Amino acid sequence: QQQVKQSPQSLIVQKGGISIINCAYENTAFDYFPWYQQFPGKGPALLIAIRPDVSEKKEGRFTISFNKSAKQFSLHIMDSQPGDSATYFCAASKPGTYKYIFGTGTRLKVLA
Amino acid sequence: GAVVSQHPSRVICKSGTSVKIECRSLDFQATTMFWYRQFPKQSLMLMATSNEGSKATYEQGVEKDKFLINHASLTLSTLTVTSAHPEDSSFYICSASQGAGNTIYFGEGSWLTVV
């Protein structure tokens, strides 16, 4: 019940295309869902985050879609660029804690 | 965004020795810091939660006597890998909580190689 399942494990997208990464959770107590971007040999960097009271959040080319009833959320990267090639992790946490449960990660490669 | 600094970024130590990794929050006070371990091409595994002025809380399966965590101030937490062995070689990452909105920020990570 503590898991966050992430898919796909790896993704190859053409430049200019849309990258979509999905995550699913079981614990309805989770109330914060961030996405992190990690380049090789670097720490993860916060990309965008959402709370269950909204169904979508957009920041630039990055959009989170949230489906509370299905307990799923996804990251959409519009107009994907080679510089977006990285590993992306979704995460979830419960109220009042900063203890994140991370997904298994998706390695994205955007072809030039 | 908030900045979390880790040092050293890379360290090589001999088997049986101890090595310390520092995690600093540079522009905010972090009441809570976290230590993760990440194996190549795998997700982040939470090792322990560090609260300023109190003992760290370790996740199941993490040896607290091997991975000593100290959070002596609101801007500094340290992880000491004691009596290191080659299997301890890994990428160690810290993160710090800014205290509001559940947002945490990660350090750049520290590569530990035990030879």
Side-chain angles (χ1 to χ4, degrees):
Chain A
Q1 199 180 22
Q2 284 289 87
Q3 286 185 330
V4 176
K5 296 181 180 180
Q6 185 171 345
S7 63
Q9 189 175 27
S10 61
L11 181 62
I12 299 175
V13 173
Q14 294 287 339
K15 179 182 177 181
I18 302 173
S19 303
I20 301 174
I21 304 170
N22 301 299
C23 282
Y25 63 98
E26 295 180 358
N27 192 337
T28 55
F30 290 144
D31 77 333
Y32 183 69
F33 303 90
W35 283 92
Y36 283 84
Q37 178 188 57
Q38 185 180 30
F39 292 104
K42 299 292 184 182
L46 178 65
L47 203 56
I48 187 172
I50 198 168
R51 293 190 182 274
D53 53 346
V54 297
S55 60
E56 187 176 280
K57 184 175 181 179
K58 184 176 180 179
E59 290 185 2
R61 296 186 294 110
F62 301 94
T63 300
I64 299 179
S65 296
F66 189 84
N67 186 328
K68 189 175 182 178
S69 60
K71 291 184 284 187
Q72 296 176 347
F73 57 108
S74 60
L75 175 69
H76 296 233
I77 305 175
M78 312 300 287
D79 187 26
S80 299
Q81 299 296 312
D84 297 330
S85 297
T87 299
Y88 293 81
F89 292 96
C90 64
S93 70
K94 291 188 281 188
T97 79
Y98 308 102
K99 185 175 176 178
Y100 284 12
I101 307 298
F102 281 91
T104 49
T106 296
R107 288 191 295 282
L108 170 66
K109 184 169 185 177
V110 181
L111 302 176
Chain B
V3 179
V4 176
S5 173
Q6 263 184 260
H7 178 82
S9 57
R10 288 183 180 274
V11 58
I12 300 174
C13 72
K14 290 185 176 181
S15 186
T17 63
S18 296
V19 60
K20 181 185 288 186
I21 301 170
E22 293 185 346
C23 178
R24 294 181 184 273
S25 57
L26 297 185
D27 55 358
F28 65 97
Q29 292 186 328
T31 53
T32 306
M33 289 185 172
F34 303 86
W35 287 96
Y36 294 82
R37 184 173 181 176
Q38 187 178 33
F39 292 103
K41 298 184 179 180
Q42 293 192 23
S43 189
L44 290 82
M45 182 189 78
L46 179 65
M47 298 174 66
T49 302
S50 167
N51 293 295
E52 186 266 337
S54 63
K55 290 183 178 180
T57 302
Y58 290 82
E59 295 299 302
Q60 192 173 9
V62 178
E63 298 177 61
K64 62 180 181 180
D65 294 329
K66 181 167 187 61
F67 299 100
L68 300 178
I69 291 172
N70 183 277
H71 194 159
S73 75
L74 287 171
T75 59
L76 174 65
S77 177
T78 59
L79 168 68
T80 301
V81 182
T82 63
S83 187
H85 291 284
E87 57 265 31
D88 298 326
S89 299
S90 189
F91 191 49
Y92 292 89
I93 311 172
C94 74
S95 67
S97 160
Q98 201 171 8
N102 279 13
T103 300
I104 62 172
Y105 298 92
F106 285 84
E108 286 289 292
S110 299
W111 284 102
L112 169 63
T113 302
V114 184
V115 298

